[in-house]
Amino acid sequence: MTDKLIIFDTTLRDGEQSPGASMTKDEKVRIARQLERLKVDVIEAGFAASSEGDFDAISAVSAAVKDSIVCSLARANENDITRASDALKAANAKRIHVFLATSPLHMEKKLRMTPDQVFEQAKKSIRFARNLAADIEFSPEDGYRSEVDFLCRVLEAVIAEGATTINVPDTVGYAVPELYGEFIHTLRTRIPNSDKAIWSVHCHNDLGMGVANSLAGVKIGGARQVECTINGLGERAGNTALEEIVMALRTRKDYFDLSVGIDATQIVPASKLVSQITGFVVQPNKAVVGANAFAHASGIHQDGVLKARDTYEIMRAEDVGWSANKIVLGKLSGRNAFKQRLQELGITVETEEELNDAFSRFKALADQKSEIFDEDIISITSGSASAEESEFYRFVSLSQHSETGKRPSSQVVFHMGGEKMTSEAEGNGPVDASLNAIEAMAKSGAEQLLYSVNAITSGTQSQGEVTVRLAKGGRIVNGVGTDPDIIAASAKAYLSALNKLHDPRQAKLNAQMAP
Ligand code: KIV
Ligand code: ZN
């Protein structure tokens, strides 16, 4: 057994299954690039057969990523596996991840298949997949609630057919650490050819034990791959959080004695990027990446930390990529200084055109806001000009009036399908009036599920980051907008959500719901 733990990131697949967290192709590529800077071993970029949009996104991630293995999920059938393989064509290293449910409940109620049919289907699909790729992962969905004898039979057979990684999901977050660890251990000891595959854990967080279960799977069970997501993003209560796994292994190396290839200084930038793109705000007391994770408010703690850091700190904020809110650039900073700061932040701009575009956005922001922080630069560079040009809805400008005792009104100018629209409306407040003005023209009929505002940095001169979540026809999308003016940020967020609803390629099958 090796002492290296493989980090398999599924933010772009299982994380994206979280209602409202769906991402566009460009967003997936941006996150994938950051995951590569973080040096994750495997990036699960999506579920190719779930939609045209996801197929394209996996292809684009495959072309963009050079160092990490790129993976696509597939149900255990020839069509899905072929789609996965086709989407991964451009990848330097590709993995096909085939799954099929094995618990009595899922086989009977969801698949309506007998155990023998599931056994045959699993074997057949892995045999088929092995002709398309050398690196094949198999997941028995709801594996933890499966009968152990049957599971051993299926897993032995798929390893014999050539599966190189066996992943044991706790799909519904039912496990407890010791039992899950022992479950993995039992499978590994009872299956005669278990040493021919790498064993992997995949834990959901419904009882808040995703990370603990995964670590038990590693320590007690001997798993050497952990499947996880940035910020623990994922359906319901989410998946195992990557940052917590990595920092537990590093901080308690004395206990786990395993190495990970992750560059931990990229953790906080990754967390911020995922939060910004999905609109899923990180709770302040979240381990490692929460805003308060390294803040000492009590006098006793502050005194202790000033005398000797390790009195109250087991990790250093800078080791996971926290930087003090520094004013890095201002109105007079030139293109070279801007380019250098991008490099220092690990932000890649592929072409001169992209750099020019980012620099002009920086100049526009510096005209509105005298001090520019790292977080502002990250937000400026998180949207590309080409993405904007292809958008159906695009913000142009806004003016609004609000006065105590009077009903606020707003006029919004925006592009809709290439045509410039000017629309006016009233509302309960200036934000409501602005969104009403857009809706009066767009007529989406979407239901608003969430509106939230967050300050990118501290203080009232910070840029506001607004998330709007809309639902229509069974689809839920998030739109995010940033601007020093939160009314403008709100309009941008609403238009961004409308863009996602407008793109039919983004509608997709949910892996767990699929027959
Ligand atoms: O939770 C789960 O069972 C999954 C599988 C598709 C691996 O995400
Ligand atoms: Zn899952």
Side-chain angles (χ1 to χ4, degrees):
M1 224 186 335
T2 76
D3 63 356
K4 156 114 201 257
L5 188 80
I6 297 167
I7 298 293
F8 175 114
D9 181 278
T10 183
T11 307
L12 302 180
R13 197 281 297 171
D14 218 354
E16 199 208 19
Q17 276 177 221
S18 182
S22 65
M23 301 165 208
T24 63
K25 178 172 85 180
D26 287 342
E27 289 168 344
K28 282 201 171 188
V29 169
R30 262 155 48 211
I31 292 178
R33 290 209 165 106
Q34 179 57 28
L35 292 173
E36 196 175 27
R37 279 194 281 278
L38 187 60
K39 298 197 187 332
V40 306
D41 300 287
V42 187
I43 298 173
E44 188 166 47
F47 172 21
S50 70
S51 71
E52 288 297 316
D54 224 28
F55 182 94
D56 291 348
I58 296 167
S59 307
V61 168
S62 300
V65 164
K66 298 284 165 270
D67 300 330
S68 311
I69 297 170
V70 184
C71 172
S72 168
L73 186 70
R75 288 169 297 182
N77 65 58
E78 293 188 2
N79 175 60
D80 272 33
I81 295 169
T82 308
R83 288 294 280 165
S85 173
D86 289 349
L88 293 166
K89 232 169 217 142
N92 275 353
K94 70 173 173 182
R95 174 178 298 185
I96 301 175
H97 178 186
V98 179
F99 77 101
L100 185 61
T102 50
S103 67
L105 195 63
H106 278 229
M107 288 190 292
E108 189 195 328
K109 304 280 185 226
K110 187 176 96 164
L111 299 176
R112 297 182 200 285
M113 285 167 83
T114 64
D116 282 344
Q117 287 172 323
V118 167
F119 176 79
E120 290 304 328
Q121 186 71 26
K123 269 194 348 182
K124 205 169 117 197
S125 62
I126 297 302
R127 193 176 311 146
F128 182 77
R130 265 313 290 250
N131 290 326
L132 300 177
D135 186 349
I136 302 294
E137 175 167 327
F138 178 76
S139 287
E141 192 194 357
D142 206 17
Y144 181 65
R145 293 194 300 171
S146 302
E147 279 167 2
V148 97
D149 288 347
F150 177 64
L151 194 55
C152 285
R153 195 174 146 228
V154 172
L155 297 182
E156 183 183 346
V158 295
I159 296 171
E161 292 294 346
T164 43
T165 298
I166 297 294
N167 177 47
V168 184
D170 177 21
T171 304
V172 291
Y174 180 70
V176 292
E178 229 181 325
L179 297 183
Y180 183 71
E182 281 163 9
F183 189 66
I184 305 286
H185 186 258
T186 303
L187 295 175
R188 285 188 49 243
T189 19
R190 283 190 42 187
I191 295 174
N193 55 1
S194 68
D195 61 326
K196 303 279 182 303
I198 291 169
W199 287 75
S200 167
V201 288
H202 178 113
C203 298
H204 281 265
N205 202 33
D206 298 65
L207 293 172
M209 291 190 279
V211 169
N213 288 337
S214 301
L215 290 173
V218 169
K219 182 72 184 175
I220 305 172
R224 287 296 176 263
Q225 172 175 288
V226 173
E227 302 203 350
C228 44
T229 60
I230 302 292
N231 300 336
L233 186 71
E235 266 183 300
R236 308 182 309 274
N239 285 60
T240 294
L242 178 147
E243 59 279 5
E244 294 177 24
I245 291 289
V246 168
M247 291 318 288
L249 287 162
R250 277 180 58 147
T251 310
R252 296 308 309 271
K253 176 118 175 67
D254 59 316
Y255 178 69
F256 290 106
D257 199 20
L258 289 171
S259 63
V260 275
I262 296 292
D263 175 358
T265 62
Q266 293 297 328
I267 284 179
V268 169
S271 162
K272 289 190 173 179
L273 183 64
V274 169
S275 168
Q276 199 218 348
I277 285 177
T278 59
F280 279 59
V281 176
V282 175
Q283 77 195 52
N285 58 333
K286 162 86 179 61
V288 186
V289 293
N292 287 354
F294 292 88
H296 298 276
S298 101
I300 297 173
H301 287 204
Q302 280 173 351
D303 183 54
V305 169
L306 287 175
K307 285 180 180 143
R309 279 182 87 145
D310 50 7
T311 48
Y312 286 101
E313 274 186 9
I314 56 163
M315 300 171 269
R316 294 186 320 167
E318 55 271 35
D319 290 349
V320 295
W322 281 106
S323 62
N325 272 348
K326 280 187 306 219
I327 302 166
V328 286
L329 295 170
K331 201 176 169 144
L332 300 177
S333 306
R335 199 168 169 280
N336 280 343
F338 177 70
K339 189 175 172 185
Q340 192 185 330
R341 194 62 203 145
L342 290 184
Q343 276 161 2
E344 286 163 3
L345 288 170
I347 298 169
T348 346
V349 276
E350 301 290 320
T351 59
E352 276 301 293
E353 200 189 336
E354 253 185 69
L355 177 64
N356 291 341
D357 169 58
F359 186 61
S360 54
R361 288 188 215 204
F362 158 71
K363 280 290 185 192
L365 183 63
D367 278 341
Q368 290 176 277
K369 186 174 183 287
S370 55
E371 298 167 334
I372 305 286
F373 297 86
D374 284 344
E375 288 80 353
D376 293 315
I377 297 180
I378 293 167
S379 113
I380 290 167
T381 46
S382 61
S384 71
S386 60
E388 277 180 15
E389 276 152 22
S390 62
E391 283 168 356
F392 189 81
Y393 296 100
R394 188 144 58 89
F395 177 81
V396 177
S397 65
L398 174 151
S399 76
Q400 54 83 22
H401 183 81
S402 58
E403 191 179 330
T404 311
K406 294 216 170 115
R407 194 161 162 76
S409 61
S410 180
Q411 185 190 71
V412 186
V413 183
F414 62 102
H415 286 279
M416 188 166 117
E419 207 183 321
K420 200 167 176 181
M421 308 294 213
T422 302
S423 179
E424 285 179 41
E426 291 184 346
N428 290 347
V431 170
D432 192 42
S434 304
L435 303 199
N436 287 345
I438 296 171
E439 186 58 28
M441 287 286 177
K443 296 190 176 27
S444 76
E447 184 192 352
Q448 237 184 75
L449 299 184
L450 173 119
Y451 170 83
S452 83
V453 190
N454 190 28
I456 288 188
T457 51
S458 53
T460 49
Q461 74 124 292
S462 162
Q463 283 199 87
E465 183 180 80
V466 172
T467 304
V468 171
R469 186 171 301 160
L470 299 179
K472 191 179 173 192
R475 287 179 64 201
I476 301 177
V477 296
N478 273 337
V480 180
T482 53
D483 200 282
D485 173 347
I486 58 163
I487 318 288
S490 305
K492 288 180 185 176
Y494 194 75
L495 290 167
S496 145
L498 289 183
N499 272 325
K500 289 186 178 171
L501 277 183
H502 184 258
D503 184 356
R505 295 167 68 84
Q506 296 304 325
K508 49 180 95 148
L509 269 178
N510 179 317
Q512 265 75 25
M513 299 305 291

